[in-house]
Amino acid sequence: MSAKDLPTMYGLAESDPGQKLIKRAGVVDADLQQIDRIMAEMGRMRQIERRIMRSSQQYMKLNETDMRAIRKMISAKHAGQSVTPGALSQYLGISSASVTKMIDRLEARGHVRRTKHPTDRRSQCVEVTEETHLAAGEQVGRHHAKRFEVAKSLSPEEREVVIRFLASTSDAMESSLDEAGPGETE
């Protein structure tokens, strides 16, 4: 995709024309164009990720919270860990009553099943069904495999640059959340 085809809403000129947030004095035009292109590609990737998520949600007839719960259960299954309703409540940031309703709904639709906790007789676990695990792999897993192929194609040095950029960007964005006042983060 050429630079002129990228989304412009993330460009410096469009998002901060008065340079109130991002001071550009002393940055040469070629650097600004390259930085703009990085921002546009990041925006394009977020748009594609949202399309993938919506497509997966529609295919599996799940909402965003359901999908996050399913991903958590699949990850735990791969790691050989059990998932309790309490752990889901904490992970999803929702009440235990909401988790119970969600599990009831997912169980009724054949996405999850309740099992006995392996070590605590008073507790139960929730695990994803094999059918849903396969469907999630087909829907979401194939997209993640594409990311792996791109990362694999880079040299170790290039991967280190990408890792440093993504980690630093995440750190900077996270610190901006900590600096924001009430109501400014959502």
Side-chain angles (χ1 to χ4, degrees):
M1 177 173 276
S2 74
K4 67 180 176 70
D5 296 331
L6 292 171
T8 59
M9 67 181 180
Y10 302 104
L12 292 171
E14 295 81 10
S15 62
D16 188 25
Q19 298 187 41
K20 291 179 181 174
L21 298 171
I22 303 167
K23 306 298 181 217
R24 301 187 284 279
V27 183
V28 298
D29 194 47
D31 288 348
L32 286 173
Q33 288 177 10
Q34 196 173 36
I35 292 167
D36 254 357
R37 188 130 184 256
I38 290 170
M39 297 302 134
E41 287 292 356
M42 290 175 67
R44 180 172 160 244
M45 188 168 70
R46 281 193 302 270
Q47 289 174 345
I48 292 167
E49 286 175 331
R50 283 192 293 269
R51 283 181 38 215
I52 290 168
M53 183 57 69
R54 282 191 304 270
S55 171
S56 297
Q57 289 171 342
Q58 289 172 351
Y59 175 78
M60 297 179 73
K61 296 175 180 51
L62 299 170
N63 65 39
E64 183 179 346
T65 303
D66 296 344
M67 288 293 287
R68 289 180 58 218
I70 296 291
R71 278 196 307 272
K72 174 70 173 167
M73 287 182 263
I74 289 172
S75 294
K77 185 175 185 174
H78 290 166
Q81 300 170 343
S82 300
V83 177
T84 63
L88 279 178
S89 174
Q90 185 175 14
Y91 174 75
L92 298 170
I94 60 176
S95 71
S96 58
S98 295
V99 167
T100 299
K101 288 179 186 178
M102 178 189 69
I103 292 170
D104 289 345
R105 185 178 65 255
L106 293 174
E107 187 175 43
R109 293 180 182 168
H111 291 295
V112 302
R113 67 178 150 269
R114 289 176 167 97
T115 61
K116 293 180 180 179
H117 194 282
T119 58
D120 183 354
R121 293 183 336 190
R122 298 166 297 154
S123 186
Q124 62 177 321
C125 293
V126 188
E127 62 183 32
V128 67
T129 62
E130 195 59 34
E131 297 80 18
T132 296
H133 190 167
L134 290 171
E138 283 295 314
Q139 275 294 292
V140 180
R142 64 187 162 102
H143 301 296
H144 290 303
K146 296 291 186 185
R147 289 184 201 190
F148 176 84
E149 291 301 321
V150 172
K152 186 175 83 172
S153 74
L154 300 174
S155 71
E157 296 79 16
E158 290 170 322
R159 284 193 291 270
E160 283 302 323
V161 169
V162 172
I163 291 166
R164 190 172 66 245
F165 170 74
L166 293 173
S168 296
T169 300
S170 295
D171 291 345
M173 292 174 71
E174 190 170 43
S175 75
S176 74
L177 284 173
D178 296 339
E179 295 165 3
E184 295 177 10
T185 59
E186 295 300 322

